[in-house]
Amino acid sequence: MKHLITLFMLLVVAIPCFAESEEDKSKPPISPQEIVDVQLSAYNDGDIKAFVSTYADDVKTYGQANDLKISGIKDLENAYAGYFEAHPELHAEVTGKIIQGNFIIYQELVSGVVGGEDFVATAIYEVRDDKIQNVWFFQ
């Protein structure tokens, strides 16, 4: 009987450890488009911490013809922190979009580049495991 009570007590203590918390249940999964939109909002706010938080640690960004521009989260943070500082009025507005599974393709009108003119860019974002893994930019 003593062992039965001990077993019962262990189960009472252990079961909640395996149960989903109410917080987990109430938080719906975030879609690839929502992740990219959070990134874009942080970009427009010049919020480097929020911006970087949407990217995978081993993120890679590419220019045209698969020209590797950025490799890794630290490289991304360093590049964009300086860019945000140099261009405080920076803003990207989505003018067209294609959503295909975990690929988000946005055509963006970019403005606020100091000393530069507005330009149109196309960005292809690949999202994996709730983080932006790769980005290809075309201009």
Side-chain angles (χ1 to χ4, degrees):
M1 181 71 166
K2 189 175 187 180
H3 294 293
L4 190 56
I5 292 173
T6 303
L7 179 61
F8 177 74
M9 293 301 287
L10 283 172
L11 285 173
V12 167
V13 171
I15 287 175
C17 296
F18 297 104
E20 231 180 304
S21 72
E22 286 302 314
E23 186 178 308
D24 292 341
K25 287 184 207 173
S26 65
K27 214 163 43 169
I30 188 165
S31 74
Q33 182 180 354
E34 290 169 319
I35 292 164
V36 172
D37 287 347
V38 167
Q39 175 265 168
L40 186 63
S41 179
Y43 176 93
N44 286 336
D45 292 341
D47 184 341
I48 192 66
K49 289 194 185 300
F51 179 80
V52 169
S53 74
T54 62
Y55 286 86
D57 288 343
D58 58 345
V59 61
K60 293 196 178 7
T61 73
Y62 302 89
Q64 293 177 189
N66 272 341
D67 180 24
L68 183 64
K69 298 291 186 186
I70 292 175
S71 182
I73 198 78
K74 282 296 179 197
D75 195 14
L76 179 87
E77 184 172 11
N78 292 336
Y80 277 89
Y83 196 61
F84 290 164
E85 189 174 315
H87 308 285
E89 300 298 316
L90 191 62
H91 183 82
E93 177 184 342
V94 176
T95 58
K97 63 175 83 172
I98 297 172
I99 313 301
Q100 185 70 42
N102 64 320
F103 286 90
I104 310 302
I105 304 168
Y106 279 177
Q107 183 177 53
E108 302 169 356
L109 175 60
V110 180
S111 60
V113 178
V114 175
E117 294 191 22
D118 297 356
F119 61 92
V120 174
T122 299
I124 302 172
Y125 301 93
E126 180 185 12
V127 178
R128 282 194 247 142
D129 299 323
D130 296 335
K131 296 286 184 178
I132 299 169
Q133 183 66 56
N134 294 296
V135 186
W136 293 266
F137 293 106
F138 302 90
Q139 189 177 324

